[in-house]
């Protein structure tokens, strides 16, 4: 961490990247880090680039920059294990690259890396970074809101096993910086009548296999309920935690593939996700199918994972 | 707090009461306090009495005791603002009564009172009590699970405004005592297929008024979906936080009355609840109707509250 701070100090321009389809933790880490650098070293130029996320745009707005800004700049990539998923790919144009991530490493990119899978969110890593050097660093309420959002979204509101005393200690520090937890919850919980209607659809149309519950989210359903892809994907949690069904998944139809949001409350499912072109955490992973024809085989594979788990 | 500790030390028998229809916070505070007293002073007799809650029975089992045990005993009542709601009512048989609560006081019962509405849960008060005297008190993992459950349930997983740095600090302390957050979440999140079906019903049958969403949970629906009253009542959160509808409510039909779970993300609704034979917090309250005939008037009154709020 000291080396990362030294690098930050030694550059005048810093460009912060995240991953494609950014979530709350990605945005939280990106904008939280920007806030810390900008307030601690006001003379530096700091940019956040990458895809836009409507869901968490209240934490900050991404910058649009030209290639020449990368000249002599430091690229920092947060929350991204796989090179191809970095958004955008111009991070390589920077003079040096730093990787900060809490996922199991897939690609060892970057000149300097801080990877620690014991953190349940990348935003917690950034908060910890601030906390460690708080005598020389500054963080304002705006940055605290970003970081708190990242911690809350990636831990499912402090529910997942990676949550530790440190998580709560750092969340408390952010609240002390002025975070209004109900404001953030309101932003993250906003529902539209369309989404409520979609939820009714989900609860009435999921399918049960052996120890496995799933739902097919086809294009026509997404269009019928007039929701965004992001909103459609967010319903995966609704079919989770049902007694007797330790694994659940949402299959979201895209023009050229079917993306899978795979979740578990029992068996680890990241290896299965690897077999289907994806990856992630032990109990929350992403994967993909080329077409619906692969679905029966995927279901069989999940049932096998559940069976093995139940036999242990 | 020192006086409460002194009282506890001076009695050989302590009986801990909560409120009727106990929730996670009531159970958490009761069994957390029992754990602290029992482990700190093993020679004392400590009982938890009151109604049973299936929802949170994993934190502990209530004791069945005869009246004579109250002879020379200390009664402690937690999490209860209204005398009539204390479960069971034999708390008066104790030699002295202590009240520990975080609700706005309604009845000033008890010989000694510790009431602090700045705490978002009564379990946090008990945890704080332990923390303040941790040099003389002991708390085991079992008690930490109870207290963590109380904190989590009464704050909606650290979401409500009363959550402070202290809340997170104390939650962290409990995790350090061995609490497995995923275990607790699993217990609190367990869903049955019946409950999932009921959710489908809720999302397909709620009614919208001006700024107000509600659902009538009649006896035949509760029976049709084969859920307990407690489960039926728990769905109130499903219709909350919808854009343009800052107040929502669930009406649950009982043989002799209709109980209302009233919630808000905007206007305060506890005064309205008072008018309808109830009370509670500013944004989460309970109330009652004598019959469905009162419903139209109640809806009008809610609409008026929303109107006034929007005009400010």
């Amino acid at each position: 961490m000291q080396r990362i701070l030294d690098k930050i100090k030694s550059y005048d321009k810093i460009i912060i990247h995240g991953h494609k389809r950014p979530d709350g933790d990605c945005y939280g880490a990106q904008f939280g880090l920007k806030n810390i650098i900008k307030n601690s070293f006001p003379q530096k130029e700091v940019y956040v680039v990458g895809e836009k996320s409507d869901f968490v745009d209240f934490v900050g707005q991404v910058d649009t920059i030209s290639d020449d800004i990368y000249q002599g700049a430091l690229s920092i990539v947060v929350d991204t294990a796989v090179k191809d998923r970095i958004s955008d790919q111009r991070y390589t144009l920077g003079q040096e690259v730093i990787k900060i991530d809490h996922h199991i490493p897939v690609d060892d990119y970057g000149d300097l890396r801080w990877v620690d899978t014991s953190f349940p969110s990348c935003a917690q890593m950034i908060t910890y970074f601030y906390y460690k050097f708080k005598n020389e660093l500054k963080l304002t309420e705006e940055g605290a809101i970003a970081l708190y959002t990242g911690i809350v979204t990636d831990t499912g509101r402090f529910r997942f096993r990676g949550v530790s005393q440190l998580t709560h200690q750092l969340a408390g520090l952010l609240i002390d910086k002025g975070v209004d937890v109900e404001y953030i919850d309101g932003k993250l919980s906003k529902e539209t009548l369309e989404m409520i209607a979609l939820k009714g659809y989900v609860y009435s149309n999921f399918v049960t296999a052996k120890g496995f519950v799933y739902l097919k989210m086809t294009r026509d359903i997404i269009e019928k309920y007039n929701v965004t892809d992001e909103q459609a994907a967010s319903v995966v949690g609704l079919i989770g935690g049902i007694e007797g069904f330790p694994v659940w998944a949402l299959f979201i139809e895209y023009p050229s593939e079917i993306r899978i949001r795979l979740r578990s409350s029992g068996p680890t499912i990241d290896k299965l996700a690897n077999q289907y072109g994806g990856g992630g955490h032990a109990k929350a992973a992403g994967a993909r199918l080329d077409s619906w024809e692969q679905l029966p085989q995927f279901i069989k594979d999940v049932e096998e994972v559940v069976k093995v788990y139940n036999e242990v």
Side-chain angles (χ1 to χ4, degrees), chain A:
Chain A
M1 282 197 295
Q2 183 63 55
R3 285 167 63 208
I4 291 176
L5 181 59
D6 293 343
K7 280 286 176 218
I8 289 171
K9 283 181 182 168
S10 71
Y11 279 88
D12 295 330
K13 277 189 296 186
I14 295 155
I15 303 162
I16 304 168
H17 292 250
H19 56 74
K20 291 178 186 169
R21 283 182 276 137
D23 54 11
D25 188 32
C26 181
Y27 253 48
Q30 285 183 283
F31 288 100
L33 182 57
K34 177 182 176 179
N35 182 276
I36 291 166
I37 299 173
K38 200 62 206 168
N39 285 289
S40 310
F41 313 104
Q43 76 291 356
K44 292 189 195 298
E45 286 176 45
V46 190
Y47 304 97
V48 166
V49 300
E51 278 177 38
K52 195 171 149 31
S53 162
D54 289 335
F55 175 57
V56 281
D57 66 352
F58 66 94
V59 312
Q61 300 292 326
V62 293
D63 301 301
T64 308
I65 60 171
S66 58
D67 291 2
D68 58 297
I69 293 187
Y70 282 90
Q71 185 100 41
L74 173 66
S75 294
I76 303 180
V77 183
V78 301
D79 199 41
T80 316
V82 183
K83 255 183 180 172
D84 286 351
R85 291 201 65 217
I86 298 170
S87 178
D88 56 43
Q89 286 284 324
R90 294 181 298 169
Y91 74 98
T92 54
L93 300 180
Q95 191 165 317
E96 287 184 287
V97 176
I98 294 176
K99 174 191 182 183
I100 301 176
D101 190 24
H102 72 120
H103 295 92
I104 296 160
V106 178
D107 294 329
D108 283 334
Y109 64 85
D111 303 290
L112 188 58
R113 287 185 287 274
W114 175 29
V115 175
D116 190 335
T117 57
S118 74
F119 281 80
S121 68
C122 193
Q124 185 181 322
M125 295 178 76
I126 303 296
T127 311
Y128 186 65
F129 179 77
Y130 162 74
Y131 171 74
K132 273 286 166 196
F133 300 112
K134 66 175 180 296
N135 292 331
E136 14 180 358
L137 296 179
K138 288 197 183 71
L139 170 70
T140 69
E141 182 182 330
E142 199 185 343
I145 288 172
L147 293 168
Y148 191 85
T149 301
I151 289 174
V152 164
T153 51
D154 244 32
T155 62
R157 297 199 168 100
F158 305 100
R159 282 185 302 162
F160 304 149
R161 194 156 282 139
V163 170
S164 65
Q165 181 165 32
L166 182 63
T167 310
H168 282 287
Q169 183 192 336
L170 295 174
L173 177 156
L174 296 172
I175 289 177
D176 214 40
K177 285 277 170 192
V179 168
D180 179 335
V181 297
E182 275 196 18
Y183 164 80
I184 291 179
D185 185 59
K187 289 289 184 185
L188 296 175
S189 306
K190 265 292 178 261
E191 293 271 40
T192 58
L193 279 176
E194 286 88 354
M195 271 304 287
I196 294 282
L198 180 67
K199 286 186 175 183
Y201 175 82
V202 171
Y203 283 123
S204 312
N205 289 280
F206 64 86
V207 184
T208 55
K210 287 181 195 141
F212 177 48
V213 170
Y214 66 91
L215 182 85
K216 288 166 71 169
M217 183 69 75
T218 51
R219 271 296 113 192
D220 56 322
I221 292 301
I222 294 172
E223 275 155 34
K224 179 181 165 190
Y225 286 91
N226 193 27
V227 294
T228 65
D229 288 356
E230 212 168 40
Q231 288 175 313
S234 74
V235 301
V236 63
L238 299 183
I239 52 173
I242 306 176
E243 268 177 316
F245 301 91
V247 182
W248 62 99
L250 184 71
F251 298 89
I252 309 141
E253 190 177 74
Y254 280 81
S256 60
E257 63 175 0
I258 291 146
R259 292 187 193 153
I260 310 171
R261 290 209 167 183
L262 187 61
R263 301 288 183 269
S264 169
S265 62
T268 58
I269 39 77
D270 52 337
K271 287 201 184 60
L272 180 66
N274 291 150
Q275 289 167 34
Y276 283 89
H281 302 286
K283 302 202 172 179
R288 53 181 299 288
L289 302 178
D290 291 327
S291 77
W292 290 117
E293 281 163 30
Q294 285 181 284
L295 181 58
Q297 185 58 48
F298 185 83
I299 293 169
K300 265 189 204 158
D301 290 346
V302 174
E303 289 180 333
E304 183 61 26
V305 166
V306 174
K307 188 163 164 259
V308 169
Y309 175 77
N310 285 336
E311 280 165 358
V312 174

